[in-house]
Amino acid sequence: MGDGRTTDPVVRPYRAADDQPVRHLLTEAFGDAAVADLAGELRGSDAHRAALVAELDTAVTELDTAVTGLDTAVTGLVQLSRGWLDAPARLVEVLVLSPLGVLPELQRRGIGTALVRAAVDTARELGFPLLFLEGSPRYYSRHGFSPAARHGFLRPSQRIPEPAFQVTVLPGWQDWMVGALVYPDVFWRYDMVGLRGERLARVIAESG
């Protein structure tokens, strides 16, 4: 389906019927099932705050059969989980955006952009003061994210490359809210905070 046609995604809240198609798309997008496992456990944890899926509002029967093998139009997912900012005065509940995934056959067509924008809007509506993520500064800077260190925030792990530690400051933020981000424990159980091994070495070499 890589013919360059644009898609017109509709973003909506996650439903139980999305379990199988979301697991498929995350496995395809990230190359293994580990991120799908992480996402599922996050949705079942007390850290879960929101999950949104993108689906096509055009005829997708051919896409569903050829690409997913499932009776679904779901093409992308984004999740928001509660973390903490370890500020000097007290812990502050904040949000972490992860994972974000789109079917490989439909990437670079605006689906990820629609999901990120919806996630930021949801974070604002929920009243959280900050939304953090690990990701490409080139991509996420287009959606209002900036390097978190500029605002006085510290990475939860030194294995997160500094430029990749991104934040969007939301209306509820106050200037005393600075400090280290603390991820939900599910991320640590899956060892999905930052990079390790060759991936980390490559990023360090490229940034140096």
Side-chain angles (χ1 to χ4, degrees):
M1 301 299 293
D3 58 6
R5 287 179 295 177
T6 59
T7 57
D8 189 8
V10 173
V11 178
R12 60 164 175 81
Y14 189 99
R15 300 192 289 252
D18 298 322
D19 285 353
Q20 277 191 290
V22 161
R23 182 170 186 82
H24 172 85
L25 80 85
L26 289 177
T27 301
E28 291 295 306
F30 291 94
D32 62 48
V35 176
D37 293 339
L38 169 73
E41 189 162 339
L42 281 170
R43 291 193 302 272
S45 75
D46 62 1
H48 177 67
R49 291 298 179 268
L52 304 169
V53 298
E55 60 183 6
L56 304 182
D57 68 353
T58 55
V60 292
T61 304
E62 179 183 350
L63 171 69
D64 296 337
T65 301
V67 177
T68 69
L70 299 168
D71 183 20
T72 179
V74 173
T75 58
L77 168 83
V78 67
Q79 290 187 195
L80 300 176
S81 301
R82 183 264 304 127
W84 295 275
L85 185 72
D86 188 13
R90 60 179 174 84
L91 288 174
V92 179
E93 289 197 356
V94 298
L95 287 177
V96 176
L97 188 159
S98 183
L100 169 70
V102 175
L103 279 172
E105 294 84 352
L106 292 174
Q107 292 175 5
R108 302 182 185 277
R109 302 192 188 188
I111 296 172
T113 292
L115 286 166
V116 173
R117 289 174 178 170
V120 173
D121 289 344
T122 299
R124 186 178 292 110
E125 291 166 3
L126 292 173
F128 283 84
L130 298 161
L131 175 59
F132 291 91
L133 59 78
E134 297 176 38
S136 165
R138 178 178 301 177
Y139 178 79
Y140 287 103
S141 64
R142 302 200 299 265
H143 305 299
F145 287 83
S146 59
R150 293 181 186 172
H151 303 275
F153 305 125
L154 302 176
R155 294 168 287 172
S157 169
Q158 294 299 303
R159 292 179 292 99
I160 302 174
E162 192 79 72
F165 182 42
Q166 301 276 304
V167 68
T168 281
V169 176
L170 299 169
W173 180 79
Q174 300 178 40
D175 58 9
W176 60 267
M177 296 178 183
V178 294
L181 174 64
V182 181
Y183 267 39
D185 62 350
V186 177
F187 284 93
W188 296 105
R189 288 204 302 273
Y190 279 85
D191 194 12
M192 288 193 181
V193 180
L195 305 174
R196 291 190 187 277
E198 292 182 3
R199 293 180 64 200
L200 179 59
R202 184 168 62 250
V203 171
I204 291 173
E206 290 172 353
S207 62

